[in-house]
């Protein structure tokens, strides 16, 4: 790295070319083409017990209808003002109270919902509603109409909070964002709940089905099924020394990711698990479903419990540890890095 301060004749030269909107590459080459990832993001943890009172307060300050989306954004402390949790990812916690509706719209940005708290809200995607239960993973693919509501379940209604994961920073980077509001608050329901899961979610596909896009035709991945598989694989001994039992969500029609920009994972760390160090160029956001434990990220320790969220930045070495059986959901920009052939990951042995 060139750490020398520029001489006065060079400095004068820089000032002159600045007038022409030019700068000398040699003063910033090593930052622009780093030896290894050296981004600004820092690890961070949002404890549920700290966050919940503010989510509740937001519920008294503005309605879902007025806010359109009543969300507290999880912003990386090193990226103030960017509404980004990493350079490529957006994360937020959305609240919908009993009886509320978040109006229908669509946008280029792809969204995932991971249900954190409460039961009985719904998201409607492409004419089908899905009731949200804690631990469920639901997708709203690019340019699909979606609205949210909370009608309750089994005669009970409660506030519902979910994690929104979107590719907002990626779409902003490409300046490719479009959005459209529906004239109707909620979209018309054209198919019964569970229809997509029946068609596409049982190792079978309708005989004439041809994928027309890279997006998964399933838009709800219920937790009870995921949880059962994790437990089963643990019992069968399929535990990785770095990740525990870690599975990726899949588009059943292609084997690819559920959406082209966002990878999603669920992992099980058995009680006492102490993972080996790992790093990857896809930074990830974690939502703790069950259990307590610790993530040690770049030498910093973060104690986690149910409904906590944390972010592991790109290429920071981290380990995961569980006190009791823990289940962690996570998402990253892995499909994009894979498509660009730039993904690197390393299982370390230290
Ligand atoms: O639910 O459509 O957290 O459009 C940010 C932007 C949620 C949504 C967010 C959105 C949505």
């Amino acid at each position: 790295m060139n750490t020398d301060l520029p001489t006065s004749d060079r400095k004068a030269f820089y000032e002159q070319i600045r007038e022409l909107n030019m700068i000398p590459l040699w003063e910033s080459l090593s930052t622009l083409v780093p030896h290894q990832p050296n981004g600004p993001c820092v690890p961070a943890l949002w404890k549920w017990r700290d966050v919940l009172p503010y989510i509740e307060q937001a519920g008294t300050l503005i309605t879902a209808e007025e806010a359109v989306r009543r969300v507290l954004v999880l912003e990386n402390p090193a990226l103030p003002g960017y509404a980004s949790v990493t350079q490529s990812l957006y994360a937020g916690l959305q609240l919908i109270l009993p009886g509320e509706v978040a109006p229908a719209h669509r946008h280029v940005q792809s969204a995932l919902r991971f249900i954190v708290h409460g039961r009985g809200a719904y998201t409607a995607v492409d004419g089908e509603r899905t009731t949200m239960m804690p631990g469920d993973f639901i997708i709203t693919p690019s340019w699909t109409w979606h609205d949210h509501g909370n009608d309750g379940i089994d005669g009970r209604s409660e506030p519902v909070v979910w994690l929104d994961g979107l590719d907002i920073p990626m779409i902003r980077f490409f300046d490719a964002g479009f959005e459209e509001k529906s004239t109707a608050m909620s979209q018309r329901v054209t198919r019964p709940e569970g229809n997509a899961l029946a068609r596409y979610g049982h190792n079978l596909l309708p005989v004439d089905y041809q994928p027309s896009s890279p997006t998964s035709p399933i838009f709800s991945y219920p937790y009870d099924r995921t949880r059962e598989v994790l437990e089963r694989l643990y019992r069968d001994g399929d535990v990785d020394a770095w990740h525990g039992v870690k599975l990726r969500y899949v588009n059943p029609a292609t084997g690819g990711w559920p959406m082209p920009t966002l990878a999603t994972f669920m992992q099980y760390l058995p009680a006492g698990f102490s993972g080996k160090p790992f790093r990857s160029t896809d930074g990830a956001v974690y939502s703790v479903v069950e259990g307590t434990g610790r993530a040690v990220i770049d030498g910093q320790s973060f104690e986690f419990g149910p409904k906590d969220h944390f972010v592991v930045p790109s290429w920071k070495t981290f380990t995961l540890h569980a006190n009791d059986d823990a289940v962690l959901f996570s998402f990253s920009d892995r499909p994009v890095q894979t498509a660009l052939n730039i993904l690197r990951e390393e299982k370390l042995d230290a």
Side-chain angles (χ1 to χ4, degrees):
M1 196 168 73
N2 182 3
T3 51
D4 300 341
L5 286 175
T7 55
S8 59
D9 51 342
R10 285 181 189 172
K11 245 167 105 183
F13 172 75
Y14 300 163
E15 275 157 32
Q16 281 175 328
I17 65 171
R18 159 84 46 210
E19 300 287 309
L20 284 175
N21 302 311
M22 298 192 292
I23 56 167
L25 172 63
W26 59 86
E27 289 292 338
S28 53
L29 181 58
S30 61
T31 314
L32 291 173
V33 185
H35 182 61
Q36 59 174 25
N38 184 25
C41 289
V42 293
L45 169 73
W46 291 265
K47 296 291 292 177
W48 180 247
R49 65 159 182 269
D50 298 334
V51 164
L52 180 62
Y54 291 110
I55 292 177
E56 286 172 340
Q57 204 179 333
T60 68
L61 290 173
I62 193 163
T63 63
E65 189 178 341
E66 192 195 346
V68 183
R69 297 295 182 260
R70 191 207 281 119
V71 178
L72 298 184
V73 178
L74 306 182
E75 189 172 65
N76 193 287
L79 300 173
Y82 283 88
S84 301
V85 68
T86 69
Q87 300 253 64
S88 61
L89 301 173
Y90 161 101
L93 292 169
Q94 180 159 179
L95 168 70
I96 192 141
L97 293 169
E100 286 192 319
V101 172
H105 70 177
R106 62 177 176 173
H107 39 70
V108 161
Q109 291 80 359
S110 298
L112 67 87
R113 328 282 170 193
F114 184 72
I115 319 314
V116 171
H117 179 76
R119 304 158 71 237
Y122 67 82
T123 275
V125 183
D126 268 350
E128 186 177 328
R129 280 188 182 179
T130 300
T131 303
M132 297 169 151
M133 305 296 266
D136 290 354
F137 160 59
I138 293 168
I139 66 169
T140 357
S142 179
W143 211 241
T144 51
W145 292 107
H146 54 283
D147 50 274
H148 317 297
N150 187 347
D151 290 347
I153 185 170
D154 303 333
R156 293 186 45 195
S157 345
E158 52 197 40
V160 174
V161 178
W162 64 83
L163 171 69
D164 281 325
L166 286 91
D167 53 11
I168 286 174
M170 292 187 235
I171 304 304
R172 181 169 59 198
F173 172 81
F174 289 114
D175 271 340
F178 293 89
E179 177 267 355
E180 210 177 330
K181 286 170 191 64
S182 174
T183 48
M185 271 289 273
S186 306
Q187 62 185 286
R188 210 162 54 84
V189 174
T190 56
R191 279 177 300 161
E193 173 157 3
N195 183 270
L197 196 60
R199 279 196 216 198
Y200 308 107
H202 291 81
N203 301 323
L204 296 159
L205 292 173
V207 66
D208 290 327
Y209 176 73
Q210 292 292 339
S212 58
S213 84
T215 289
S216 172
I218 294 182
F219 44 83
S220 171
Y221 297 74
Y223 185 55
D224 50 0
R225 292 170 53 153
T226 310
R227 184 67 175 81
E228 198 177 307
V229 168
L230 291 169
E231 181 90 34
R232 167 70 202 248
L233 293 179
Y234 167 61
R235 273 192 273 118
D236 291 353
D238 293 338
V239 182
D240 179 86
W242 289 264
H243 301 307
V245 180
K246 186 169 185 178
L247 300 173
R248 68 178 181 91
Y249 288 92
V250 70
N251 172 345
T254 64
W257 304 97
M259 293 183 287
T261 52
L262 298 168
T264 41
F265 309 89
M266 193 70 112
Q267 77 196 97
Y268 179 86
L269 311 175
F273 179 82
S274 190
K276 292 186 181 186
F278 179 74
R279 64 178 170 177
S280 168
T281 52
D282 63 327
V285 178
Y286 286 76
S287 182
V288 182
V289 193
E290 298 179 32
T292 62
R294 192 161 41 94
V296 181
I297 311 165
D298 202 21
Q300 249 179 294
S301 186
F302 297 89
E303 302 281 338
F304 63 72
K307 307 180 188 185
D308 291 349
H309 292 84
F310 60 92
V311 56
V312 180
S314 164
W315 211 239
K316 301 292 188 216
T317 300
F318 72 103
T319 54
L320 294 172
H321 312 266
N323 304 331
D324 34 23
D325 294 346
V327 180
L328 308 179
F329 171 85
S330 58
F331 72 95
S332 83
D333 62 13
R334 178 165 289 229
V336 180
Q337 294 202 31
T338 303
L340 300 178
N341 201 29
I342 58 170
L343 183 84
R344 281 204 204 187
E345 54 182 337
E346 232 171 41
K347 286 181 159 178
L348 303 159
D349 255 318

